[in-house]
Amino acid sequence: MEQDAYDRISELVHAADVAMLTTVGEGGALHARPLAALQERFDGTLRFLVEDPSPKLEELREHPRVNVAYSSKRGYLSMAGVARVVEGEEGAVDELWGPAAEAWFPGGREDPELVVLEVLPESAEYWALTEPGVVAAAKAVKAFFTKEQPDVGENRVVEL
């Protein structure tokens, strides 16, 4: 993957507060759930704090292919890949732990039901806003009158 695409994906991951994890349930039904985006750095792997047991983990253990979507003022990102529960890796929870995690996991970082969900992305599609908000808004207004699609960002599909 090109460095500029990696940098754009990393920027979009960091800009978001919430990610939507989509799992495959019984009969192929898709279930999307919000997860706090707590990861400080993106290194090619997505990580989240979750409770085990939970319905989402039951589903991904049966069908590990997932999608993770992010939305922020910087743009949108959708990543497809394979998920797994990280168990027994020293420091895995600590990497994500902070004040935001404490609100969701009152049992603390030592809670036996607290685990790390790791997603190994295989592909990504992003829509990154490359124009400042005021410029993007002006281009959108112009597009309304000219009936032309505004160019306010970059859309790209990337194989990871």
Side-chain angles (χ1 to χ4, degrees):
M1 170 174 50
E2 298 171 23
Q3 187 63 42
D4 63 328
Y6 182 88
D7 292 343
R8 184 73 71 201
I9 289 169
S10 186
E11 175 186 325
L12 293 169
V13 168
H14 291 295
D17 294 324
V18 174
M20 292 296 291
L21 172 72
T22 303
T23 57
V24 178
E26 190 174 321
L30 299 176
H31 298 139
R33 300 168 177 91
L35 296 175
L38 303 171
Q39 200 168 342
E40 288 293 321
R41 61 181 175 73
F42 173 68
D43 59 5
T45 302
L46 304 172
R47 292 178 195 85
F48 304 95
L49 294 177
V50 297
E51 287 181 304
D52 189 10
S54 71
K56 69 180 147 284
L57 295 187
E58 289 174 25
E59 289 177 353
L60 75 83
R61 284 182 173 120
E62 185 72 26
H63 304 283
R65 299 200 54 74
V66 298
N67 191 81
V68 180
Y70 296 87
S71 174
S72 72
K73 292 180 180 180
R74 305 296 294 241
Y76 310 94
L77 171 65
S78 176
M79 301 182 84
V82 178
R84 72 180 185 101
V85 175
V86 176
E87 298 181 81
E89 287 187 26
E90 189 73 27
V93 169
D94 293 338
E95 176 188 342
L96 300 171
W97 193 260
E102 288 180 36
W104 292 104
F105 302 99
R109 67 178 76 196
E110 303 301 322
D111 186 330
E113 293 185 349
L114 177 63
V115 297
V116 173
L117 173 64
E118 183 175 82
V119 178
L120 304 169
E122 297 171 343
S123 64
E125 182 169 9
Y126 62 82
W127 300 263
L129 301 177
T130 55
E131 298 285 358
V134 173
V135 174
K139 286 184 173 186
V141 169
K142 178 183 174 189
F144 175 78
F145 290 107
T146 63
K147 305 297 185 218
E148 295 176 2
Q149 188 174 28
D151 180 15
V152 295
E154 174 187 10
N155 173 233
R156 191 159 175 204
V157 175
V158 180
E159 294 303 318
L160 305 169

